[in-house]
Amino acid sequence: MQVFTTVQPMIVSIRNEPFDDERFLFEPKWDGWRILIHKQGERIEAYTRQGNKITNKFPELEQVVSCIKAHTAILDCEGIVMRDGRPVFDDFSYRGRLSSSMRISQARVTHPVTFVVFDVLLTDREHIREPLMERKKLLEQLIIPSQMIMSTMYVPERGNALFQLTRDRNMEGIVAKHKDSIYIPNTQSRDWFKIKHFKIIDTVILGFRTNPFALVIGLQFRTVKNKPVGVVEFGFSPEDKALFKVLAKDLYTESDKRTQWIQPKLCCRIQYLERTDTHQLRTTLFKQWLFDKKPEDCIWQS
């Protein structure tokens, strides 16, 4: 492993329920972009998990250099922007989309970035074969906390308590990591698990499919109205499906091979687990019809 060359990070597996286990530590799941910071002397670069260099988008890194006490380092981080006491994915994505130097300079004030470090892969030697707890101890010595960079907090053993705390603070969830785990780049770990909170959102129905039955749902965005954001296949009772067919029969518009599109006049509440960079909702579940909800009030709220 060499500094300033592409390193594909280790990826977490998924687990549905939190747990307590003395063999594990538990971190908040920070809602931003996975970033790898490379430093050597006064040079510092930031890379996405795909290996794209994005240093010029984050001039905060110029101050981060002095907060990393090692001459050479590769650090695994999450880049976040805080709003109302919690990290907001869309705010960091906004920073990542900017290319104009003037707008980037303005965004340093309106959307200040913090790099939350949770692992160290390299200093004067590789650390990926060392147990996680040894790497955590090293991080405590390497990072001088500031507004621009800090080490993530973690708690040993008590995953259920941290899961509840992150729910109370409207955060994304937690990550469980075996204390003895090594770091294997470009691999999905069997020792790291993300455990996310399901979220509820009200959506407008844009169409439906019949084999199997599913709703195509949408949301209102500041610049796009009735944008499709996902498909919901699960959670319907036979009565739910029958009622929808009655309500939708006079709303049909065009159709294609998969979908019968309808006028955006009906709304429903759904549960989802994840969403993509383009706001597509994943692991969705139907909860209820919303007969009194106005479609224009089904708004994406980051």
Side-chain angles (χ1 to χ4, degrees), residues 50-96:
Q50 294 82 19
N52 299 317
K53 188 162 70 171
I54 53 173
T55 313
N56 62 338
K57 294 179 180 292
F58 302 104
E60 292 94 336
L61 289 165
E62 296 172 4
Q63 294 170 271
V64 166
V65 171
S66 61
C67 298
I68 302 172
K69 290 194 281 186
H71 176 271
T72 301
I74 299 178
L75 305 176
D76 197 351
C77 319
E78 189 85 357
I80 63 169
V81 172
M82 299 291 287
R83 189 202 309 173
D84 299 327
R86 67 182 182 92
V88 177
F89 177 85
D90 288 344
D91 287 358
F92 192 89
S93 293
Y94 168 75
R95 284 294 306 269

Side-chain angles (χ1 to χ4, degrees), residues 201-204 218-222 225 293-302:
I201 195 167
D202 295 346
T203 63
V204 58
L219 288 168
Q220 316 300 340
F221 293 80
R222 184 171 58 86
K225 304 303 180 186
K293 186 86 173 185
K294 297 179 180 179
E296 59 265 30
D297 293 334
C298 294
I299 300 169
W300 172 257
Q301 297 179 345
S302 57

Side-chain angles (χ1 to χ4, degrees), residues 110-125:
T110 60
H111 295 73
V113 163
T114 301
F115 296 96
V116 182
V117 187
F118 47 81
D119 220 322
V120 53
L121 313 188
L122 176 78
T123 57
D124 56 348
R125 67 183 192 279

Side-chain angles (χ1 to χ4, degrees), residues 29-35 48-50 52 54 78-79 88-94 96-97 172 194 196 221 227-229 272 274-282 300 302:
K29 190 173 189 314
W30 301 97
D31 202 4
W33 285 11
R34 189 82 172 267
I35 303 291
T48 66
R49 60 187 291 178
Q50 294 82 19
N52 299 317
I54 53 173
E78 189 85 357
V88 177
F89 177 85
D90 288 344
D91 287 358
F92 192 89
S93 293
Y94 168 75
R97 291 193 300 270
E172 191 177 12
K194 61 181 176 182
K196 290 190 171 186
F221 293 80
K227 176 184 176 180
V229 296
Y272 72 96
E274 296 183 301
R275 54 63 187 123
T276 69
D277 293 2
T278 56
H279 301 103
Q280 297 301 300
L281 307 182
R282 293 178 173 171
W300 172 257
S302 57

Side-chain angles (χ1 to χ4, degrees), residues 169-222:
R169 296 189 178 182
N170 196 26
M171 295 179 69
E172 191 177 12
I174 63 174
V175 179
K177 297 179 178 179
H178 197 289
K179 293 178 179 179
D180 293 332
S181 60
I182 62 173
Y183 192 107
I184 308 175
N186 198 28
T187 301
Q188 186 167 17
S189 174
R190 297 180 180 179
D191 292 320
W192 292 8
F193 304 97
K194 61 181 176 182
I195 308 163
K196 290 190 171 186
H197 301 295
F198 279 97
K199 296 185 178 181
I200 300 293
I201 195 167
D202 295 346
T203 63
V204 58
I205 302 167
L206 303 179
F208 68 96
R209 299 171 182 173
T210 57
N211 189 25
F213 178 82
L215 298 179
V216 180
I217 54 170
L219 288 168
Q220 316 300 340
F221 293 80
R222 184 171 58 86

